[in-house]
Amino acid sequence: MDGVTVTRLAELVAGGGVAVLSGAGLSTESGIPDYRGPTGRARPAEPMTYQRFTGSAQARQRYWARSHVGWRQIGQARPNAGHRAVAELERRGLLAGIVTQNVDGLHQAAGARRVIELHGGLDRVVCLSCRERTPRAELERRLRAANPGWEAAGARINPDGDAVLTDAQVAGFQVVDCAACGGMLKPDVVFFGENVPRPRVDECFALVAGASLLLVLGSSLTVRSGLRFVTKAASLGIPIAIVNQGETGGDADASLTLDAPLGPTLTELTARLPVPAQ
């Protein structure tokens, strides 16, 4: 770890008003793989699209079978040192808020409160007909009841909780519909091919625009979804600091970049900051 760079980062963060933008790299130490970082480079990514999900009963069967297996890992994941450090920065009054591209809920589980889930959360399910939102735990109980004796172990788990299963493992899996209206159920997350709700995007832009520093944690900034906030900060002259393993799409706009593991780096960062008087 580059101690000099961590010291410079601490100096930037100490001023407060920090907007955090987090990505999948922050959750890898909790056992959740990423798509483009060190744990994801050798793994092909085949995320479900909104169009395929809504247009094909077979695609929904495949998605829910894979997600039913993957949820066991995502649902049991616990915050790591990086999540706890971010929550501690919030507790010390240094953060303006957190925008996370992750759908795992680990920021909140670590104690953070001002969190905007840009892409939604896997712990909720939404009906595409009546729009009722229900806890994922309730759906899991219904899926187990509809599929007694069905077991499948995925070869790997993707960041969105999607386990890789064979066609034979998926065959025979029973999907359930909305208990209230019989409509199609979907995880309360933004699929590829689906737009993030405009009010949520506007809230994120407002957070970034009002910040004194944009701190990017564990995001490769490869796609526009996250990069647009870095571009916004740069256009407003707001300093940008990036902590990630590997290069990112925002490095050219950053005042500071640090290629290092998130957990140890953020733990060291909090250790270098003064603890406010109680």
Side-chain angles (χ1 to χ4, degrees):
M1 186 186 305
D2 184 347
V4 174
T5 305
V6 175
T7 298
R8 288 178 55 211
L9 179 60
E11 292 170 351
L12 290 171
V13 172
V18 179
V20 168
L21 173 64
S22 68
L26 186 63
S27 292
T28 56
E29 293 169 40
S30 293
I32 300 175
D34 57 3
Y35 277 122
R36 299 177 181 85
T39 68
R41 288 174 184 146
R43 182 180 57 254
E46 299 176 355
M48 176 61 70
T49 67
Y50 181 80
Q51 291 75 18
R52 272 198 297 145
F53 184 87
T54 56
S56 167
Q58 184 178 15
R60 289 192 295 278
Q61 179 196 43
R62 186 171 184 80
Y63 176 84
W64 282 120
R66 291 162 61 124
S67 186
H68 184 51
V69 174
W71 174 250
R72 298 170 191 170
Q73 180 169 333
I74 302 294
Q76 293 174 7
R78 295 294 175 262
N80 62 53
H83 297 110
R84 292 192 293 272
V86 172
E88 176 63 16
L89 294 177
E90 182 186 81
R91 189 189 70 81
R92 295 187 189 183
L94 296 172
L95 301 189
I98 302 163
V99 176
T100 185
Q101 300 172 85
N102 301 337
V103 295
D104 52 39
L106 292 179
H107 275 300
Q108 297 92 319
R113 295 291 173 261
R114 296 189 295 277
V115 181
I116 304 172
E117 293 179 311
L118 182 63
H119 298 144
L122 278 176
D123 61 338
R124 305 178 301 274
V125 178
V126 61
C127 173
L128 296 183
S129 295
C130 70
R131 307 308 300 180
E132 181 180 13
R133 283 173 169 78
T134 52
R136 178 62 178 262
E138 179 180 323
L139 175 65
E140 290 300 310
R141 288 193 295 270
R142 295 182 61 210
L143 287 174
R144 286 193 297 270
N147 296 276
W150 186 88
E151 288 292 337
R156 65 176 185 264
I157 305 293
N158 289 325
D160 55 3
D162 183 34
V164 178
L165 303 178
T166 65
D167 291 342
Q169 289 173 312
V170 171
F173 185 83
Q174 298 298 312
V175 176
V176 299
D177 295 320
C178 176
C181 76
M184 186 187 302
L185 292 177
K186 173 184 170 291
D188 195 14
V189 299
V190 178
F191 280 169
F192 283 81
E194 185 179 9
N195 293 324
V196 178
R198 189 69 226 182
R200 191 183 305 167
V201 175
D202 290 343
E203 184 181 8
C204 294
F205 273 126
L207 172 63
V208 171
S212 300
L213 170 73
L214 177 61
L215 176 59
V216 181
L217 302 175
S219 177
S220 64
L221 301 172
T222 304
V223 296
R224 181 177 176 273
S225 180
L227 182 60
R228 56 185 162 179
F229 302 116
V230 173
T231 302
K232 179 68 172 180
S235 72
L236 295 174
I238 297 169
I240 300 159
I242 301 175
V243 183
N244 187 63
Q245 290 193 272
E247 296 180 353
T248 83
D251 287 354
D253 288 321
S255 306
L256 179 152
T257 62
L258 182 54
D259 187 337
L262 276 293
T265 301
L266 295 175
T267 299
E268 178 64 21
L269 170 64
T270 58
R272 292 177 184 236
L273 291 166
V275 178
Q278 299 297 319

